[in-house]
Amino acid sequence: MTANPMTAVARVKTGHERRARYTGGVLVLLALFVVVVFGPGAYGDATFRLSRPGDAVVLGDLVVPAAPFIYVAASLLAFLGARQFLRGGVRWTSLSLGLGLALVVLAFLVWATAGNAFSLTGMLQATMVRAVPIALGGLAGVMCERAGVVNIAIEGMLLAGAFTGALVGSVIGGWGGLLSAVVIGGLFGFILAALVVTYRMDQIIAGVVINLFVLGLTSYVSSQVFSQYRGLNNAPVFRSWKVPLLGDIPVIGPMLFNQNLFVYGALALVALATYYLFHTRSGLRARAVGEHPRAADTLGINVYRIRYLHVTMGGMVAGFGGAWFTLGSVGRFDEDMTGGRGFIGLAAMIFGRWHPVGALGAALVFGFADSLQQKLALLGTGVPSEFLAMSPYIATIIVVAGLVGRARPPAADGKAYVKE
Amino acid sequence: MQVELKGITKRFGPVVANRDVTLSVKGGEVLGLLGENGAGKSTLMNVLCGLYAQDEGEIIIDGDPVSFGGPGAAIAAGIGMVHQHFMLVPVFTVAENVVLGVEPTGRLDRLDLASARAKVTEIGEKYGLHVDPDEVIENLPVGVQQRVEIIKVLFRSADLVILDEPTAVLTPQEVEEFFGIVRSLRDAGKAIIFITHKLGEITEIADRISVLRAGEIVGEADPKTARLEDLAQMMVGRPVSFDVDKPPLEAGAPILAVQDLVVLREDDAVAVDRVSLTVRSGEIVGLAGVQGNGQTELIEALTGLRMPAAGTITYQGADITRATVRVRHRMGIAHIPEDRQRSGMIGAFTVAENMVLDTYYDDRFSRGPQIIWPKVHEQAAISATEFDVRTPSVFLRAGHLSGGNQQKLVVARELSRETKLVIAAQPTRGLDVGSVEYIHRRLVEARQEGDGVLIMSSELDEILALSDRILVMFKGRIVAEFDATAAAFDKSAIGLAMAGGAGAEVAA
Ligand SMILES: Nc1ncnc2c1ncn2[C@@H]1O[C@H](COP(=O)(O)OP(=O)(O)OP(=O)(O)O)[C@@H](O)[C@H]1O
Ligand SMILES: [Mg+2]
């Protein structure tokens, strides 16, 4: 044999390099897009309000000259893109893409606000509020899927929580309503677990059945009963409570520390679930069941019990999230008022790579898109409101299809376990 | 510790997997358990470790009858098992896998991974089982995964360690190392049950041998005096020949020609580095090498499971570098994959369905969009008999076959087609001596019919017995070629080349 086996190999283009180039191309195109679409219409300054009248600490407004900002953003984008394209820096691919998208969003904001004023604080606060049901839905998904059960029924569980919260809340008060929403969520979780664990029904179908059942039942009761007895659909709402001092931090204070019970609850649950799943014995066992139930079984771990437990817990989280719709915002139940938030929650779970904190982060992205859409409708940008209303869903598709790439679900996710 | 099994019977529906089995093992000894594929070895061990409940009979530990409600109870009683197919969570670290089920915890149920790591290291030092506790399982070679399985058992302070075909996935070097570990366990006073199909191994390591056939104990033997031929006969109930009868080579035109092939792994590392090789009609080419030197990826590229990054593959004059798997099948390429459970069969399908995975669209088995099931079942029954796949019926889920019979199922499917080229990766992994003999004969028959045969095996003896020509792979390249026509193969030169040593020259 003549050649030395250790010599450098033929130069071959690798998959990662290709992806890096592709990303570079996309970034350059985005730069063009920003220049062509946002550039011409940007006159004057965009004013971002960092404080509201009456705040303890008042910051001045952030005034951004629109046109220069947009061109600077576009050149940054082009620079990132060209760098990716030419150097194909593998490690930088995701980071560049993330930065690039953030730049596009900023440019869009500046363009939309040009010649106008816009409250950043309010926007962030609204983002948080809108992220709550999505985050809780995603968290419910994380709890179930980490133990190997796909929970399509989160939408139905949210709806059941919202309905129960409104009904019981109207009769015995907010706390009672909240508690029963959690219990009802848990009950549906338990039913799902029974269907898929004990009776080995297909997990997707079982979830769909629960969704349809809850939708039908709540719609019926709300149109037939609530319309007659309005008193049954008039629950008290949990008001927001400002954390002393922390709530006065400019810009992010109101977002994190001047909210109602549900926001604090969601943040606490995310922290708790992270600790539980990744730092406790029970969490380790749950994840083992989701990855390789047979291995867990050979070690004397009761796969069925763990699945029951976690799907029920997931249901309780979703029930809590559902109560947000009624007890946390309007105090009244409307037909199908969750409007697909449960499914977006599932998307947040995937985008967040089956991690509680990831799901929260993804929920914030969706919440941001949602609240942006609302604010922009007020600013009157000329973009039809229908398109703006679509934006959270488009964000869902782009994020799940493009950005996440191949996130890996728990290996036994969605598969029934049959003991020998 | 003394463990006795008394009159154990275990049935799966009509199948009696174990019938009235009586067996005992005590601390400080290695009991070798032999038996052909489907004899019921794994089933018996699963009863012993609490995974299955026996239908009759009892388990007695140190004189007291015990009954296990599940694996947890068996573990508590000091019984630990390393399963034939590993039971490790691929995305967990070594330490996490080791402690799973018996986790050390602090306050608030908090996992104490630090002490787990320390314990893993401690056990490693004590028995020579070296692994990094923080490594993630899926990044570890099977040999190391096996060490983790053993550490797992020891961590639960098992007194009886069951090893179900532990050497099937190991390279010869790893086997030596592994025997060292088994001996140190025995010297530490553990009872060990060791299952294998390799007779040479069992006479080397066992203190006593019991032989199981068709679910029953058919005899015992003393490893110091037993002859391999006798053991083989006891296992399969007929005389077995260990030599491969091979008429002289009459190689014809090239069937497969590979030119400068480059294949990448998932992480874009180069697995196969500009490999060129030829397989001629009527010739068996052996691909030797320590596992992980690119053989797997090379085979995957040849069979269409992985797209090469550069180079060409020519088959009977046609360029098939980018051809689909189906096209390759129809052109007469057979593939016996390395990992039967991952890419050889579908466990949830029946034996019959698995038999026609490659030909169901054939006119023989389907009319338009409709599959003619009676024909499929008929043909499957014929193939199963021909290849000695032991199954109660062709309607059994393939996943319920014993490990060796799963392998025979895959071989049966691949060799029942019209073939011109047979690519076999680890074709006899986990097979008993009788089946090994049979499959070797089939491969030689394919050669006699003028097929080209390419065999990859981590067992050098298998390669030596079958091949007309041996290629040695090291770090993704073919570093040496040995020709049988010159003389008998020089085993030590091949071994050296496999280790990347000075033998990396053409010996022709
Ligand atoms: N879950 C099951 N359902 C039905 N039959 C089964 C099941 N598990 C095993 N069997 C049957 O029981 C018999 C014994 O199988 P077992 O796996 O114990 O064999 P083995 O001796 O370990 O063979 P090998 O060496 O091939 O691993 C086989 O005929 C097999 O088909
Ligand atoms: Mg077995």
Side-chain angles (χ1 to χ4, degrees), chain B residues 25-36:
Chain B
V25 60
K26 63 176 189 298
E29 74 169 357
V30 179
L31 171 68
L33 190 57
L34 279 179
E36 58 182 337

Side-chain angles (χ1 to χ4, degrees), chain A residues 1 3-10 12-17 275-276 278-285 287-288 291-292 294-301 408 418-420, chain B residues 51-52 71-72 75 83 86-89 91-92 96 100-103 105 107-111 138 152 156 264 268 270 273-274 309-310 400 475 477-479 504-506:
Chain A
M1 185 114 297
N4 173 349
M6 308 301 272
T7 47
V9 298
V12 250
K13 201 174 281 154
T14 66
H16 288 194
E17 278 174 23
Y275 174 76
Y276 172 79
F278 300 101
H279 298 284
T280 71
R281 166 171 60 184
S282 319
L284 184 76
R285 291 184 177 183
R287 284 186 292 133
E291 293 285 347
H292 195 335
R294 167 127 311 152
D297 194 8
T298 61
L299 296 172
I301 293 172
R408 193 162 60 168
V418 187
K419 238 173 133 68
E420 294 295 334
Chain B
L51 219 47
Y52 294 164
I75 291 169
H83 291 264
F86 292 163
M87 294 292 173
L88 296 169
V89 181
V91 296
F92 282 13
E96 285 170 337
L100 188 60
V102 286
E103 305 84 349
T105 47
R107 280 191 314 128
L108 290 174
D109 201 34
R110 189 180 178 86
L111 267 183
E138 61 186 351
K152 220 166 101 179
R156 288 159 178 74
L264 305 178
D268 286 330
V270 176
D273 184 6
R274 287 169 294 163
H400 284 165
K475 295 210 167 157
R477 314 214 45 179
I478 290 182
V479 291
E505 282 165 32
V506 185

Side-chain angles (χ1 to χ4, degrees), chain B residues 101-145:
Chain B
V102 286
E103 305 84 349
T105 47
R107 280 191 314 128
L108 290 174
D109 201 34
R110 189 180 178 86
L111 267 183
D112 186 2
L113 277 180
S115 81
R117 272 188 221 109
K119 196 81 196 287
V120 168
T121 318
E122 185 196 316
I123 294 174
E125 306 266 285
K126 192 163 162 201
Y127 297 100
L129 293 153
H130 299 290
V131 287
D132 175 1
D134 293 314
E135 196 66 69
V136 175
I137 292 294
E138 61 186 351
N139 300 334
L140 294 174
V142 275
V144 181
Q145 292 189 15

Side-chain angles (χ1 to χ4, degrees), chain A residues 266-278:
Chain A
L267 293 174
L269 280 175
V270 164
L272 198 65
T274 306
Y275 174 76
Y276 172 79
L277 281 174
F278 300 101

